[in-house]
C-alpha cells in the first residue's frame, strides 16, 4: 500500500522544522509539568480575550482616524484575514515576511497569519532591501506582506527588488494602495478550512524575531507557541497588568520589547487596551497618554531621556502612567533617577534579547536598586551563568559574560549551524556577548559588551569603560567609542560625543580638554581617545541601539 500523498501543509511544516533547534524533550517536559508550556497555539490568547471580553477595547490606531476595535472585532478581522491568506494558497508552516507600521492593521495581519498557521518574520519598518532579502532567503519565505508608499518610503519598490533577488517570494500583499500587487486579503472564514488548535505543534516556531545585533546582518530567531505565550503571560504578571491597563506601543511593534515584554501580547493575555502610535516624540505621545489614560509603555533610553526633558514644558497630564519600561540599551543610573523624579517612581528597567532571556526590575524593588541594575530574570527556570574568558563561573559581584538557557531562550539561530557553533555552548547555553555583574539578589547590572573592545598598540581597551568616563564630563551628554584602523597602532581610539546643554555655546570641545579630563579621572594613557568628533546625535539602529557599524562607516568615508 502506498503512503497517503503529502499535503502542502505537511511539506511546509516539514520544511519549517528543517534547521530549527527545538528544546530537548526532557527540558520541554519539565516546562510542561511546571505549567510554563501550556501547549496552545499563540493565537489562543486573542481568541480567549474575544470570548471573555468581546466588547472591551482591544486596539486603537492613532495615526489617522483614531479607530478602535473591540476584542470581538479584532478576532473576527483576524479570522477573515487568516481565511484570506489561506485562500491565497498560504499553507500552515510557510514563512512570510511581515513589515507594517504600528497600527490595528498590523495586529490583524499578525493574528491573521498566526491563525492560518503561517509563520511571520517580524521585520521592522526601518529594514531595507539588504536585510529583507537576507531574512527572506534565510527563512525560505514565500510571500511579503507590507504597505504602500504613504509613509515616506515605498515598500512596493522594495517588493520588486525583493522578488528579483529572492524569486521564491512569489506573492506580495500590500496595505493601502497595492499598485501592481495584491491588497491585504480578507475572506469569509467559513469558505476555507483553517487549522484546528489540535493541528498546531506548540513546540514548533510560531513566529520569527530578528536578532538585535549592531554588526553584520541580522539572524532569524524562531520563537515557539509555547515559549512566546509564556513570555507574554509571565511578563504581564511581573508588570501586574490587568484589563484596566492601557498600553501605548511607541517603539516599532514587531520588536520583542513592545510585542511581548509584556507589550501587546501581554496585554491580550489580560484583555487590556493597546494604543498604537508611530511617533514616539513627547509632543505626540504625551497628548495620547492624557487622552487614553495610558498606564504602561516601553521606551529605549535615548527616547526616555527626551521624555524626561519634555516633562518640563509639555502641558499634557501624564499622571495616568504607572509603569515606564526602559530597555534595549543601558539606562544610565542618573537618567533613571531623573526619570523617577520627573514622572513619579515609574521606571522599570528591562534587559532583554530577542534570543530569549528577559530581566525586569520588580515593581516592589527598592527605588535605588531599580536605578542601579537592569533587572532580574523573569523566570525561576532561567539558568543564568556569568563566566570568565575561559568559561569558568565567576563569583557574584565580578564582571563576566552572560550565558543563558531556559524555557523561552532559543537553542540555536534558525538555519545557522556555523554561527550556532560559536554562539551556543555544547550544553545549550546562549552566549549573549553581554558583560554583566550579578548581585547576590540575582539582579544583573550590564557593564558592557564582551567583544566591544579596541586593540590599541597591543592593549585591550573596553569601549564602555572609556564611554562611561566620558559621560562624567559636564559638557558630554552621550558618547560612543570605536576603534579605527591606524598604521602605527593597529587601531586608534575615536570618541564621538554629543554636547550637553551645560556646554558653553560657541566654545568648541577639543581633544586635549577631553584627554586632560580623563587623565585627571585616572584613566590609563593608552585608553585616551586619539580622535574626538562632536556630533549632534549618535546614529542608532531601528530600535535605538547605538549603531557602531554606521559610525565606523561614516568616519572612514567611502
Ligand atoms: C532587546 O532585544 P534585542 O534582541 O534587540 O537586543 C538585545 C541586546 C542585548 O543582548 C544587550 O546587548 C542589549 O540589547 N540590551 C541592553 C539592555 N536591553 C537590551 N543592554 C543594556 N541594558 C539593557 N537594559 O533589546 C530587548 C528585548 C526585549 C525587551 C527589552 C529589550
Amino acid at each position: 500500500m502506498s503512503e497517503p500523498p503529502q499535503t502542502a501543509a505537511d511539506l511546509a511544516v516539514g520544511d519549517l522544522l528543517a534547521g530549527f533547534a527545538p528544546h530537548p524533550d526532557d527540558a520541554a517536559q519539565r516546562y510542561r509539568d511546571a505549567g510554563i508550556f501550556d501547549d496552545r497555539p499563540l493565537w489562543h490568547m486573542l481568541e480567549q480575550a474575544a470570548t471573555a471580553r468581546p466588547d472591551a477595547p482591544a486596539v486603537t490606531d492613532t495615526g489617522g482616524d483614531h479607530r478602535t476595535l473591540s476584542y470581538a472585532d479584532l478576532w473576527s478581522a483576524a479570522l477573515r484575514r487568516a481565511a484570506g491568506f489561506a485562500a491565497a494558497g498560504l499553507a500552515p508552516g510557510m514563512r512570510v515576511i511581515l513589515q507594517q507600521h504600528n497600527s490595528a492593521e498590523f495586529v490583524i495581519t499578525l493574528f491573521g497569519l498566526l491563525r492560518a498557521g503561517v509563520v511571520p518574520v517580524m521585520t521592522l519598518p526601518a529594514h531595507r532591501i539588504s536585510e529583507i532579502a537576507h531574512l527572506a532567503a534565510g527563512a525560505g519565505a514565500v510571500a511579503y506582506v507590507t504597505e504602500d508608499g504613504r509613509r515616506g518610503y515605498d515598500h512596493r519598490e522594495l517588493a520588486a527588488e525583493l522578488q528579483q533577488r529572492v524569486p521564491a517570494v512569489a506573492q506580495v500583499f500590500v496595505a493601502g494602495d497595492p499598485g501592481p500587487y495584491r491588497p491585504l486579503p480578507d475572506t469569509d472564514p467559513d469558505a476555507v478550512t483553517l487549522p484546528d488548535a489540535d493541528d498546531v505543534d506548540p513546540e514548533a516556531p510560531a513566529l520569527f524575531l530578528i536578532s538585535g545585533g549592531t554588526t553584520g546582518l541580522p539572524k532569524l530567531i524562531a520563537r515557539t507557541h509555547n515559549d512566546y505565550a509564556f513570555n507574554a503571560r509571565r511578563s504581564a504578571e511581573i508588570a501586574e497588568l490587568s484589563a484596566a491597563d492601557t498600553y501605548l506601543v511607541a517603539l516599532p511593534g514587531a520588536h520583542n520589547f513592545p510585542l511581548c515584554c509584556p507589550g501587546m501580547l501581554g496585554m491580550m493575555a489580560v484583555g487590556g487596551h493597546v494604543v498604537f502610535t508611530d511617533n514616539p516624540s513627547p509632543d505626540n505621545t504625551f497628548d495620547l497618554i492624557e487622552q487614553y489614560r495610558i498606564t504602561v509603555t516601553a521606551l529605549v533610553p535615548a527616547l526616555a531621556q527626551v521624555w524626561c526633558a519634555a516633562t518640563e514644558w509639555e502641558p499634557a497630564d501624564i499622571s495616568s502612567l504607572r509603569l515606564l519600561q526602559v530597555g534595549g540599551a543601558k539606562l544610565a543610573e542618573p537618567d533613571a533617577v531623573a526619570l523617577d523624579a520627573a514622572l513619579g517612581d515609574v521606571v522599570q528597567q528591562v534587559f532583554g534579547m530577542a534570543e530569549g532571556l528577559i530581566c525586569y526590575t520588580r515593581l516592589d524593588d527598592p527605588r535605588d536598586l531599580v536605578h542601579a541594575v537592569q533587572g532580574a530574570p523573569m523566570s525561576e527556570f532561567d539558568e543564568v551563568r556569568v563566566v570568565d574568558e575561559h568559561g569558568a563561573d565567576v563569583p557574584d559581584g565580578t564582571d563576566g559574560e552572560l550565558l543563558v538557557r531556559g524555557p523561552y531562550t532559543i537553542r540555536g539561530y534558525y538555519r545557522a549551524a556555523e554561527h550556532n557553533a560559536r554562539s551556543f555552548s555544547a550544553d545549550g547555553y546562549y552566549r549573549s556577548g553581554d558583560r554583566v555583574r550579578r548581585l547576590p539578589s540575582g539582579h544583573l547590572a550590564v557593564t558592557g559588551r564582551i567583544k566591544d573592545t579596541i586593540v590599541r598598540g597591543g592593549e585591550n581597551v573596553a569601549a564602555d569603560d572609556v564611554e562611561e568616563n566620558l559621560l562624567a564630563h559636564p559638557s558630554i551628554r552621550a558618547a560612543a567609542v570605536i576603534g579605527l584602523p591606524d598604521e602605527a597602532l593597529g587601531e586608534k581610539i575615536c570618541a564621538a560625543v554629543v554636547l550637553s546643554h551645560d556646554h558653553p555655546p560657541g566654545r568648541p570641545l577639543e581633544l586635549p580638554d577631553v584627554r586632560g579630563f580623563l587623565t585627571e579621572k585616572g584613566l590609563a594613557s593608552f585608553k585616551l581617545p586619539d580622535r574626538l568628533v562632536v556630533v549632534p546625535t549618535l546614529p542608532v539602529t531601528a530600535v535605538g541601539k547605538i549603531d557602531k557599524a554606521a559610525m565606523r562607516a561614516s568616519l572612514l568615508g567611502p
Side-chain angles (χ1 to χ4, degrees):
M1 218 170 69
S2 63
E3 293 280 315
Q6 286 209 306
T7 63
D10 292 336
L11 291 171
V13 170
D15 187 52
L16 168 69
L17 296 177
F20 164 63
H23 283 292
D25 288 342
D26 57 335
Q29 192 55 48
R30 206 153 32 91
Y31 302 144
R32 193 167 288 115
D33 293 344
I36 286 175
F37 287 177
D38 70 356
D39 286 341
R40 291 197 170 108
L42 189 56
W43 45 262
H44 173 77
M45 55 176 61
L46 177 56
E47 184 180 37
Q48 185 174 280
T51 308
R53 299 174 47 77
D55 301 323
V59 290
T60 297
D61 262 334
T62 63
D65 53 2
H66 284 240
R67 155 173 93 134
T68 295
L69 276 70
S70 68
Y71 271 101
D73 295 339
L74 178 60
W75 181 237
S76 78
L79 283 175
R80 290 179 59 77
R81 181 101 0 124
F85 285 127
L90 295 183
M94 288 180 175
R95 281 79 67 204
V96 159
I97 302 286
L98 172 57
Q99 186 177 35
Q100 278 188 264
H101 73 279
N102 288 351
S103 56
E105 278 303 322
F106 164 72
V107 187
I108 294 168
T109 304
L110 170 60
F111 274 92
L113 291 167
L114 291 172
R115 182 63 192 83
V118 177
V119 187
V121 179
M122 307 298 291
T123 67
L124 306 177
H127 284 134
R128 292 293 175 259
I129 185 67
S130 76
E131 291 100 5
I132 298 287
H134 167 77
L135 295 166
V142 297
Y144 176 44
V145 184
T146 189
E147 54 202 10
D148 63 19
R150 257 171 291 183
R151 315 193 65 81
Y153 177 80
D154 199 334
H155 291 267
R156 294 167 303 188
E157 284 170 18
L158 195 159
E161 177 81 29
L162 176 63
Q163 288 193 301
Q164 286 231 319
R165 292 205 204 173
V166 189
V169 178
Q171 298 198 71
V172 176
F173 300 92
V174 177
D177 172 5
Y181 303 107
R182 305 184 59 169
L184 293 180
D186 291 307
T187 307
D188 179 359
D190 294 331
V192 296
T193 316
L194 293 172
D196 290 330
D198 295 344
D199 299 334
V200 177
D201 172 1
E203 278 301 279
L207 50 76
F208 287 93
L209 300 176
I210 311 304
S211 67
T214 53
T215 50
L217 282 166
K219 290 177 286 290
L220 286 158
I221 294 170
R223 301 293 301 263
T224 69
H225 298 272
N226 269 340
D227 94 63
Y228 218 46
F230 171 69
N231 199 126
R233 286 196 314 272
R234 179 65 188 136
S235 297
E237 240 169 61
I238 288 176
E240 298 177 17
L241 293 189
S242 76
D245 277 305
T246 305
Y247 179 98
L248 180 68
V249 183
L251 295 174
H255 187 265
N256 194 24
F257 191 8
L259 183 59
C260 197
C261 302
M264 63 188 100
L265 295 183
M267 288 297 288
M268 283 177 187
V270 301
H273 182 191
V274 180
V275 176
F276 288 92
T277 182
D278 247 352
N279 172 4
S281 73
D283 54 349
N284 174 54
T285 47
F286 283 22
D287 286 344
L288 295 177
I289 295 172
E290 177 174 295
Q291 183 179 352
Y292 291 99
R293 310 298 298 158
I294 300 291
T295 59
V296 183
T297 191
L299 297 178
V300 293
L303 263 175
Q305 270 184 302
V306 175
W307 279 35
C308 189
T311 57
E312 303 258 338
W313 62 78
E314 286 294 341
D317 172 12
I318 59 167
S319 58
S320 56
L321 197 68
R322 68 167 180 88
L323 189 64
L324 177 64
Q325 302 185 287
V326 186
K330 181 155 174 176
L331 178 65
E333 188 165 350
D335 293 333
V337 172
L339 274 169
D340 258 2
L343 291 154
D345 288 357
V346 292
V347 171
Q348 177 184 50
Q349 294 220 37
V350 186
F351 165 45
M353 50 203 72
E355 288 82 357
L357 180 71
I358 309 288
C359 301
Y360 296 104
T361 57
R362 303 304 200 259
L363 271 50
D364 59 358
D365 280 340
R367 297 317 295 173
D368 53 354
L369 184 65
V370 169
H371 301 151
V373 299
Q374 277 60 59
M378 73 168 174
S379 167
E380 59 190 296
F381 284 80
D382 286 318
E383 300 170 73
V384 166
R385 293 178 59 198
V386 184
V387 303
D388 66 17
E389 62 271 36
H390 310 295
D393 292 271
V394 301
D396 287 347
T398 307
D399 278 11
E401 183 181 10
L402 169 74
L403 268 51
V404 61
R405 186 169 78 170
Y408 60 99
T409 295
I410 54 168
R411 292 294 185 126
Y413 292 107
Y414 190 63
R415 298 188 176 173
E418 200 180 309
H419 204 88
N420 289 340
R422 271 175 278 132
S423 297
F424 293 82
S425 72
D427 52 355
Y429 280 85
Y430 167 57
R431 299 182 208 278
S432 71
D434 290 318
R435 176 143 27 80
V436 302
R437 188 180 304 155
R438 181 167 45 195
L439 309 187
S441 60
H443 290 85
L444 300 173
V446 180
T447 57
R449 290 280 306 164
I450 290 291
K451 284 156 237 137
D452 195 3
T453 53
I454 300 153
V455 187
R456 182 187 184 280
E459 303 274 7
N460 276 305
V461 180
D464 46 86
D465 180 14
V466 184
E467 286 160 4
E468 212 151 286
N469 281 289
L470 283 167
L471 284 178
H473 192 293
S475 289
I476 296 177
R477 184 154 58 94
V481 167
I482 59 169
L484 292 179
D486 181 87
E487 265 179 34
L489 295 164
E491 274 190 298
K492 65 183 172 193
I493 300 175
C494 176
V497 301
V498 181
L499 294 182
S500 72
H501 303 300
D502 299 338
H503 182 71
R507 221 200 90 212
L509 182 70
E510 308 269 16
L511 182 62
D513 302 339
V514 170
R515 288 175 63 101
F517 173 80
L518 295 175
T519 306
E520 214 152 282
K521 285 207 73 197
L523 213 67
S525 62
F526 65 86
K527 293 185 186 173
L528 300 178
D530 301 292
R531 182 173 166 196
L532 180 77
V533 282
V534 176
V535 290
T537 53
L538 296 173
V540 290
T541 65
V543 285
K545 294 184 209 304
I546 293 176
D547 190 345
K548 292 198 172 180
M551 261 178 73
R552 195 164 286 118
S554 81
L555 286 168
L556 288 175

